[in-house]
Amino acid sequence: MNEVEKEEVVAFLDVGTNSVRMLVVRINPNRSYTVISEQKEMVRLGEKEFQGGMLSEEAMERTVMVIKNFCDLSRTYGASEFVAMATSATREAVNRMELLDRVKEAAGLELQIISGMEEARLIYLGVSSGHHIGRKRTLFVDIGGGSTELALGDQNDYSYLESLKVGAIRLTGMFVRKLEGPVPEDALNRMRKYVKSSLVRAKKEVAQNKVSLAFASSGTAVNLGEIIMRQDG
């Protein structure tokens, strides 16, 4: 293994449908790392997108401003390298190149768009590397604003990856007309039907693999966990 000759500071940015996340780390000569800063900002980039396939002007403005601020902050920490990836909202937008050009101009950042399958693969790698799984057949679920990524695997490798067009912002835009107050029962039923039909193939894979362990990542999973904890006291 080649070791870096000196420490370096690297900034990672995740431009999602709902939020932009930044992680700044110092990579040491022995390949260990230290987290310097971790930030998250809600931008709702995919708001109003999934009906017409266009990122709105307001959403792009919010997102570009946050990315620029994160890049400026990263540079104050001494970041010399940037790794930035965009997911569902950007990859499905007709005007995605406009967002990439504006990010480059405002922040000097090359934003890469990754596929849903690559997103699922990276989620698997990230979660599995942080937990002792061993040989257990494990399901990895990440619910985002525009898509949900699934992976099946163990500590060493994955056997199945999937990216579904199911996400909090996507479903809200498709089925909910008024954002205030509870979701109407008929809209909720249409959502359930859509999600159920989207999960047909993945459900078969999970059943055939005899999963014994599951991990859920993302802000949505954390929020659901908090709701359940409050309900159960």
Side-chain angles (χ1 to χ4, degrees):
M1 180 174 63
N2 294 325
E3 292 189 348
V4 291
E5 295 180 359
K6 60 180 181 178
E7 66 180 33
E8 61 178 331
V9 179
V10 182
F12 300 90
L13 282 89
D14 171 12
V15 181
T17 301
N18 197 37
S19 62
V20 177
R21 296 171 181 267
M22 178 194 74
L23 180 69
V24 183
V25 300
R26 178 180 293 107
I27 301 177
N28 305 309
N30 64 357
R31 305 305 293 179
S32 65
Y33 66 90
T34 305
V35 175
I36 299 173
S37 179
E38 193 170 359
Q39 306 282 338
K40 176 185 175 182
E41 193 74 41
M42 301 283 283
V43 294
R44 297 187 71 82
L45 175 62
E47 192 171 52
K48 301 177 183 177
E49 177 202 347
F50 296 108
Q51 298 97 311
M54 297 278 287
L55 297 170
S56 71
E57 177 63 27
E58 296 83 0
M60 283 197 287
E61 282 183 5
R62 292 194 299 266
T63 303
V64 171
M65 182 179 68
V66 167
I67 291 173
K68 182 183 185 303
N69 291 342
F70 280 175
C71 287
D72 290 344
L73 180 60
S74 299
R75 292 184 180 104
T76 66
Y77 290 123
S80 57
E81 185 177 349
F82 289 79
V83 178
M85 296 183 179
T87 55
S88 180
T90 308
R91 67 174 168 254
E92 291 187 41
V94 175
N95 56 341
R96 56 186 174 273
M97 294 311 298
E98 182 182 347
L99 176 66
L100 268 60
D101 290 342
R102 289 167 70 162
V103 168
K104 178 69 181 296
E105 183 179 353
L109 183 71
E110 296 281 357
L111 186 59
Q112 300 178 51
I113 302 173
I114 61 172
S115 68
M117 299 299 270
E118 176 65 3
E119 189 177 353
R121 187 184 74 87
L122 293 174
I123 289 163
Y124 158 77
L125 290 173
V127 177
S128 63
S129 66
H131 297 85
H132 179 68
I133 297 169
R135 303 286 294 177
K136 293 178 183 175
R137 300 299 298 162
T138 305
L139 170 67
F140 303 85
V141 183
D142 187 284
I143 305 171
S147 64
T148 292
E149 276 63 49
L150 305 172
L152 287 168
D154 57 20
Q155 194 81 65
N156 300 318
D157 202 2
Y158 59 85
S159 59
Y160 173 75
L161 299 174
E162 183 68 273
S163 180
L164 307 173
K165 291 187 176 183
V166 174
I169 289 182
R170 184 191 294 271
L171 265 64
T172 300
M174 288 173 64
F175 297 106
V176 182
R177 292 185 178 180
K178 291 184 179 180
L179 298 180
E180 299 81 17
V183 177
E185 192 65 31
D186 61 331
L188 198 58
N189 288 333
R190 290 198 301 273
M191 275 190 197
R192 287 174 175 146
K193 188 176 180 180
Y194 175 86
V195 172
K196 190 175 181 179
S197 64
S198 300
L199 284 170
V200 171
R201 186 171 64 173
K203 190 176 178 181
K204 288 181 181 177
E205 287 287 339
V206 173
Q208 290 170 0
N209 277 270
K210 298 179 181 178
V211 170
S212 59
L213 188 63
F215 288 96
S217 54
S218 78
T220 299
V222 173
N223 290 339
L224 289 171
E226 289 179 353
I227 290 169
I228 292 168
M229 284 177 66
R230 291 178 184 179
Q231 287 178 337
D232 292 348

Coordinates of all heavy atoms in Angstrom, one line a residue, residues 57-118:
E57 N -35.5 27.6 -10.7 CA -34.5 28.7 -10.5 C -34.2 28.9 -9.1 O -33.1 29.0 -8.6 CB -35.0 30.0 -11.2 CG -34.1 31.2 -11.0 CD -32.7 31.0 -11.7 OE1 -32.6 30.2 -12.6 OE2 -31.8 31.6 -11.2
E58 N -35.3 28.9 -8.3 CA -35.1 29.2 -6.8 C -34.3 28.0 -6.2 O -33.4 28.3 -5.3 CB -36.5 29.3 -6.1 CG -37.3 30.5 -6.6 CD -38.1 30.2 -7.9 OE1 -38.0 29.1 -8.4 OE2 -38.8 31.1 -8.3
A59 N -34.6 26.8 -6.5 CA -33.9 25.7 -5.9 C -32.5 25.7 -6.3 O -31.6 25.4 -5.5 CB -34.6 24.4 -6.4
M60 N -32.2 26.0 -7.6 CA -30.8 26.1 -8.0 C -30.0 27.2 -7.3 O -28.9 27.0 -6.9 CB -30.7 26.2 -9.5 CG -31.0 25.0 -10.3 SD -30.4 25.0 -12.0 CE -31.6 26.1 -12.7
E61 N -30.7 28.3 -7.1 CA -30.0 29.4 -6.4 C -29.6 29.0 -5.0 O -28.5 29.3 -4.5 CB -30.9 30.7 -6.4 CG -30.9 31.4 -7.7 CD -31.8 32.7 -7.6 OE1 -32.3 33.0 -6.5 OE2 -32.0 33.3 -8.7
R62 N -30.6 28.4 -4.3 CA -30.3 28.0 -2.9 C -29.2 27.0 -2.9 O -28.3 27.1 -2.0 CB -31.6 27.3 -2.3 CG -32.8 28.1 -2.1 CD -33.8 27.4 -1.2 NE -34.3 26.2 -1.8 CZ -35.4 26.1 -2.5 NH1 -36.1 27.2 -2.7 NH2 -35.9 25.0 -3.0
T63 N -29.2 26.0 -3.8 CA -28.2 25.0 -3.8 C -26.8 25.5 -4.1 O -25.8 25.2 -3.5 CB -28.6 23.9 -4.8 OG1 -29.9 23.4 -4.5 CG2 -27.6 22.7 -4.8
V64 N -26.7 26.4 -5.1 CA -25.4 26.9 -5.5 C -24.8 27.8 -4.4 O -23.6 27.7 -4.1 CB -25.5 27.8 -6.8 CG1 -24.2 28.5 -7.1 CG2 -25.9 26.9 -8.0
M65 N -25.7 28.5 -3.7 CA -25.2 29.4 -2.6 C -24.6 28.5 -1.5 O -23.6 28.8 -0.9 CB -26.3 30.2 -2.1 CG -25.9 31.2 -0.9 SD -27.3 32.2 -0.3 CE -28.3 31.0 0.4
V66 N -25.3 27.4 -1.1 CA -24.8 26.5 -0.1 C -23.5 25.9 -0.5 O -22.6 25.8 0.3 CB -25.9 25.5 0.3 CG1 -25.4 24.4 1.2 CG2 -27.1 26.2 1.0
I67 N -23.5 25.4 -1.7 CA -22.2 24.7 -2.2 C -21.1 25.7 -2.1 O -20.0 25.3 -1.7 CB -22.4 24.2 -3.6 CG1 -23.4 23.0 -3.6 CG2 -21.1 23.7 -4.2 CD1 -23.8 22.5 -5.0
K68 N -21.3 26.9 -2.6 CA -20.2 27.9 -2.5 C -19.7 28.2 -1.1 O -18.5 28.2 -0.8 CB -20.7 29.3 -3.1 CG -19.5 30.3 -3.2 CD -20.0 31.6 -3.7 CE -18.9 32.6 -3.8 NZ -18.2 32.9 -2.6
N69 N -20.7 28.3 -0.2 CA -20.4 28.5 1.3 C -19.6 27.4 1.8 O -18.6 27.6 2.6 CB -21.6 28.8 2.1 CG -22.3 30.1 1.8 OD1 -21.7 31.0 1.2 ND2 -23.6 30.2 2.1
F70 N -20.0 26.2 1.5 CA -19.3 25.0 2.0 C -17.9 24.9 1.4 O -16.9 24.5 2.1 CB -20.1 23.7 1.6 CG -21.2 23.4 2.5 CD1 -22.1 22.3 2.2 CD2 -21.5 24.2 3.6 CE1 -23.2 22.0 3.1 CE2 -22.5 23.9 4.5 CZ -23.4 22.8 4.2
C71 N -17.7 25.2 0.1 CA -16.4 25.2 -0.5 C -15.5 26.3 0.1 O -14.3 26.0 0.4 CB -16.5 25.4 -2.0 SG -17.1 24.0 -2.9
D72 N -16.0 27.5 0.4 CA -15.2 28.5 1.0 C -14.8 28.1 2.4 O -13.6 28.3 2.8 CB -16.1 29.8 1.1 CG -16.3 30.5 -0.3 OD1 -15.6 30.1 -1.2 OD2 -17.2 31.3 -0.4
L73 N -15.7 27.5 3.2 CA -15.4 27.0 4.5 C -14.3 25.9 4.4 O -13.4 25.9 5.2 CB -16.7 26.5 5.2 CG -16.5 25.9 6.6 CD1 -16.0 27.0 7.5 CD2 -17.9 25.4 7.1
S74 N -14.5 25.0 3.5 CA -13.5 23.9 3.4 C -12.1 24.4 3.1 O -11.1 23.9 3.6 CB -13.9 23.0 2.2 OG -15.2 22.4 2.4
R75 N -12.0 25.5 2.3 CA -10.7 26.1 2.0 C -10.1 26.7 3.2 O -8.9 26.8 3.3 CB -10.9 27.0 0.8 CG -11.2 26.3 -0.5 CD -11.2 27.3 -1.7 NE -11.6 26.5 -2.9 CZ -12.7 26.5 -3.6 NH1 -13.7 27.3 -3.0 NH2 -12.9 25.8 -4.6
T76 N -10.9 27.3 4.1 CA -10.4 27.9 5.3 C -9.7 26.8 6.2 O -8.8 27.1 7.0 CB -11.4 28.6 6.1 OG1 -12.4 27.7 6.6 CG2 -12.1 29.7 5.3
Y77 N -10.2 25.5 6.0 CA -9.6 24.4 6.8 C -8.4 23.8 6.1 O -7.8 22.9 6.5 CB -10.7 23.3 7.0 CG -11.8 23.7 7.9 CD1 -13.1 23.6 7.5 CD2 -11.5 24.0 9.3 CE1 -14.1 23.9 8.4 CE2 -12.5 24.3 10.1 CZ -13.8 24.3 9.7 OH -14.8 24.6 10.6
G78 N -8.1 24.4 4.9 CA -6.9 23.9 4.2 C -7.2 22.9 3.1 O -6.3 22.2 2.7
A79 N -8.5 22.7 2.7 CA -8.8 21.6 1.8 C -8.1 21.9 0.4 O -8.2 23.0 -0.1 CB -10.3 21.6 1.6
S80 N -7.4 20.9 -0.1 CA -6.7 21.0 -1.4 C -7.3 20.2 -2.4 O -7.0 20.3 -3.6 CB -5.2 20.7 -1.2 OG -5.1 19.4 -0.7
E81 N -8.2 19.3 -2.0 CA -8.9 18.4 -3.0 C -10.3 18.3 -2.6 O -10.7 18.3 -1.5 CB -8.2 17.0 -2.9 CG -8.8 16.0 -3.9 CD -8.1 14.7 -3.9 OE1 -7.1 14.5 -3.2 OE2 -8.7 13.8 -4.6
F82 N -11.2 18.3 -3.7 CA -12.6 18.2 -3.5 C -13.2 17.1 -4.3 O -12.8 16.8 -5.4 CB -13.3 19.5 -4.0 CG -13.0 20.7 -3.1 CD1 -11.8 21.4 -3.2 CD2 -13.9 21.2 -2.2 CE1 -11.5 22.5 -2.4 CE2 -13.7 22.3 -1.4 CZ -12.5 22.9 -1.5
V83 N -14.1 16.3 -3.6 CA -14.8 15.2 -4.3 C -16.3 15.6 -4.1 O -16.8 15.6 -3.0 CB -14.5 13.9 -3.7 CG1 -15.3 12.8 -4.3 CG2 -13.0 13.6 -3.8
A84 N -17.0 15.9 -5.2 CA -18.4 16.3 -5.1 C -19.3 15.5 -6.0 O -19.0 15.3 -7.2 CB -18.5 17.8 -5.4
M85 N -20.4 15.0 -5.5 CA -21.3 14.1 -6.3 C -22.7 14.6 -6.1 O -23.1 15.0 -5.0 CB -21.1 12.7 -5.8 CG -19.7 12.1 -6.1 SD -19.6 10.4 -5.6 CE -17.9 10.0 -6.1
A86 N -23.5 14.5 -7.2 CA -24.9 14.8 -7.2 C -25.7 13.6 -7.5 O -25.3 12.7 -8.3 CB -25.2 15.9 -8.2
T87 N -26.9 13.5 -6.9 CA -27.7 12.3 -7.1 C -29.0 12.5 -7.8 O -29.0 13.2 -8.8 CB -27.9 11.6 -5.7 OG1 -28.4 12.6 -4.8 CG2 -26.5 11.2 -5.1
S88 N -30.1 12.0 -7.3 CA -31.3 11.8 -8.0 C -31.9 13.1 -8.7 O -32.1 13.1 -9.9 CB -32.4 11.3 -7.1 OG -33.6 11.1 -7.8
A89 N -32.0 14.2 -8.0 CA -32.6 15.4 -8.6 C -31.8 15.9 -9.7 O -32.4 16.3 -10.8 CB -32.7 16.5 -7.5
T90 N -30.5 15.9 -9.6 CA -29.6 16.4 -10.7 C -29.6 15.4 -11.9 O -29.7 15.9 -13.0 CB -28.2 16.6 -10.1 OG1 -28.3 17.4 -8.9 CG2 -27.4 17.3 -11.2
R91 N -29.5 14.1 -11.6 CA -29.3 13.2 -12.7 C -30.6 13.1 -13.6 O -30.5 12.8 -14.8 CB -28.9 11.8 -12.3 CG -29.8 11.0 -11.4 CD -29.2 9.6 -11.2 NE -30.0 8.9 -10.2 CZ -29.5 8.7 -8.9 NH1 -28.3 9.1 -8.6 NH2 -30.3 8.1 -8.0
E92 N -31.8 13.4 -13.0 CA -33.0 13.3 -13.7 C -33.5 14.6 -14.4 O -34.4 14.6 -15.2 CB -34.1 12.8 -12.8 CG -34.0 11.3 -12.4 CD -35.2 10.8 -11.7 OE1 -36.3 11.1 -12.1 OE2 -35.0 10.1 -10.7
A93 N -32.8 15.7 -14.0 CA -33.2 17.0 -14.5 C -32.8 17.3 -16.0 O -31.7 17.0 -16.3 CB -32.7 18.1 -13.6
V94 N -33.7 17.8 -16.7 CA -33.4 18.2 -18.1 C -32.3 19.3 -18.2 O -31.5 19.3 -19.0 CB -34.7 18.7 -18.8 CG1 -34.4 19.2 -20.2 CG2 -35.7 17.5 -18.9
N95 N -32.4 20.2 -17.2 CA -31.4 21.3 -17.2 C -30.3 21.1 -16.2 O -29.7 22.0 -15.6 CB -32.2 22.6 -16.8 CG -32.9 22.5 -15.5 OD1 -33.2 21.4 -15.0 ND2 -33.3 23.7 -14.9
R96 N -29.9 19.8 -16.0 CA -28.8 19.5 -15.0 C -27.5 20.2 -15.4 O -26.7 20.6 -14.5 CB -28.6 18.0 -14.9 CG -28.3 17.3 -16.2 CD -28.3 15.8 -16.1 NE -28.1 15.1 -17.3 CZ -29.1 14.7 -18.1 NH1 -30.4 15.0 -17.8 NH2 -28.9 14.1 -19.2
M97 N -27.2 20.3 -16.7 CA -25.9 21.0 -17.1 C -25.8 22.4 -16.6 O -24.7 22.9 -16.3 CB -25.7 20.8 -18.6 CG -25.5 19.4 -19.1 SD -24.3 18.5 -18.1 CE -22.8 19.4 -18.4
E98 N -27.0 23.1 -16.6 CA -27.0 24.4 -16.1 C -26.5 24.5 -14.6 O -25.8 25.4 -14.3 CB -28.4 25.1 -16.2 CG -28.5 26.5 -15.8 CD -29.9 27.1 -15.9 OE1 -30.7 26.5 -16.5 OE2 -30.1 28.2 -15.3
L99 N -27.0 23.6 -13.8 CA -26.6 23.5 -12.4 C -25.1 23.3 -12.3 O -24.4 24.0 -11.5 CB -27.4 22.4 -11.7 CG -26.9 22.2 -10.2 CD1 -27.3 23.5 -9.4 CD2 -27.6 21.0 -9.6
L100 N -24.6 22.3 -13.1 CA -23.1 22.0 -13.0 C -22.3 23.3 -13.4 O -21.3 23.5 -12.8 CB -22.8 20.8 -13.9 CG -22.9 19.5 -13.3 CD1 -24.2 19.1 -12.7 CD2 -22.4 18.4 -14.3
D101 N -22.8 24.0 -14.5 CA -22.0 25.2 -14.9 C -22.0 26.3 -13.8 O -21.0 26.9 -13.6 CB -22.6 25.7 -16.2 CG -22.4 24.8 -17.4 OD1 -21.5 23.9 -17.3 OD2 -23.1 24.9 -18.4
R102 N -23.2 26.4 -13.2 CA -23.3 27.5 -12.2 C -22.4 27.2 -10.9 O -21.9 28.0 -10.3 CB -24.8 27.7 -11.8 CG -25.5 28.4 -13.0 CD -27.0 28.3 -12.8 NE -27.5 29.2 -11.7 CZ -28.8 29.5 -11.6 NH1 -29.7 29.2 -12.5 NH2 -29.2 30.3 -10.6
V103 N -22.4 25.9 -10.6 CA -21.6 25.4 -9.5 C -20.1 25.7 -9.8 O -19.3 26.2 -8.9 CB -21.8 23.9 -9.1 CG1 -20.8 23.4 -8.2 CG2 -23.2 23.8 -8.5
K104 N -19.7 25.4 -11.0 CA -18.3 25.6 -11.4 C -17.9 27.0 -11.4 O -16.9 27.4 -10.9 CB -18.1 25.0 -12.9 CG -16.7 25.2 -13.4 CD -15.7 24.3 -12.7 CE -14.3 24.5 -13.3 NZ -14.2 24.1 -14.7
E105 N -18.8 27.9 -11.9 CA -18.6 29.3 -11.9 C -18.5 29.9 -10.5 O -17.6 30.7 -10.2 CB -19.6 30.0 -12.8 CG -19.4 31.5 -12.9 CD -20.4 32.2 -13.8 OE1 -21.2 31.5 -14.4 OE2 -20.4 33.4 -13.8
A106 N -19.5 29.6 -9.7 CA -19.6 30.2 -8.3 C -18.6 29.6 -7.3 O -18.1 30.4 -6.5 CB -21.0 30.0 -7.8
A107 N -18.4 28.3 -7.4 CA -17.6 27.7 -6.3 C -16.3 27.1 -6.8 O -15.5 26.6 -6.0 CB -18.4 26.6 -5.6
G108 N -16.0 27.1 -8.1 CA -14.8 26.5 -8.7 C -14.8 25.0 -8.5 O -13.7 24.4 -8.3
L109 N -16.0 24.4 -8.5 CA -16.1 23.0 -8.1 C -16.6 22.2 -9.3 O -17.6 22.6 -10.0 CB -17.1 22.8 -7.0 CG -17.3 21.4 -6.4 CD1 -16.0 20.9 -5.7 CD2 -18.5 21.4 -5.5
E110 N -16.0 21.0 -9.6 CA -16.5 20.1 -10.6 C -17.4 19.1 -9.9 O -17.0 18.3 -9.2 CB -15.3 19.3 -11.2 CG -14.3 20.2 -12.0 CD -14.8 20.6 -13.4 OE1 -15.9 20.1 -13.8 OE2 -14.1 21.4 -14.1
L111 N -18.7 19.3 -10.2 CA -19.7 18.4 -9.7 C -20.0 17.2 -10.6 O -20.3 17.4 -11.8 CB -21.0 19.2 -9.4 CG -22.2 18.6 -8.7 CD1 -21.8 18.1 -7.3 CD2 -23.4 19.5 -8.7
Q112 N -19.9 16.0 -10.0 CA -20.1 14.8 -10.8 C -21.5 14.2 -10.5 O -21.9 14.2 -9.4 CB -19.1 13.7 -10.4 CG -17.6 14.1 -10.7 CD -16.7 13.0 -10.2 OE1 -16.8 11.9 -10.6 NE2 -15.7 13.4 -9.4
I113 N -22.1 13.8 -11.6 CA -23.4 13.1 -11.4 C -23.2 11.6 -11.4 O -22.6 11.1 -12.3 CB -24.4 13.5 -12.6 CG1 -24.6 15.1 -12.6 CG2 -25.8 12.8 -12.4 CD1 -25.4 15.5 -13.8
I114 N -23.7 11.0 -10.4 CA -23.5 9.5 -10.3 C -24.9 8.8 -10.6 O -26.0 9.4 -10.3 CB -23.0 9.0 -9.0 CG1 -23.9 9.4 -7.8 CG2 -21.6 9.6 -8.8 CD1 -23.4 8.8 -6.5
S115 N -24.8 7.6 -11.1 CA -26.0 6.8 -11.4 C -26.6 6.3 -10.1 O -26.0 6.3 -9.0 CB -25.7 5.6 -12.3 OG -24.9 4.7 -11.6
G116 N -27.9 5.8 -10.2 CA -28.5 5.3 -9.0 C -27.8 4.0 -8.5 O -27.7 3.8 -7.3
M117 N -27.3 3.2 -9.4 CA -26.6 2.0 -9.0 C -25.3 2.3 -8.3 O -24.9 1.6 -7.4 CB -26.4 1.1 -10.3 CG -27.7 0.7 -10.9 SD -28.7 -0.3 -9.9 CE -28.1 -2.0 -10.2
E118 N -24.6 3.3 -8.8 CA -23.3 3.7 -8.2 C -23.6 4.3 -6.8 O -22.9 4.0 -5.8 CB -22.6 4.7 -9.1 CG -21.3 5.3 -8.4 CD -20.2 4.3 -8.2 OE1 -20.4 3.1 -8.6 OE2 -19.2 4.7 -7.7

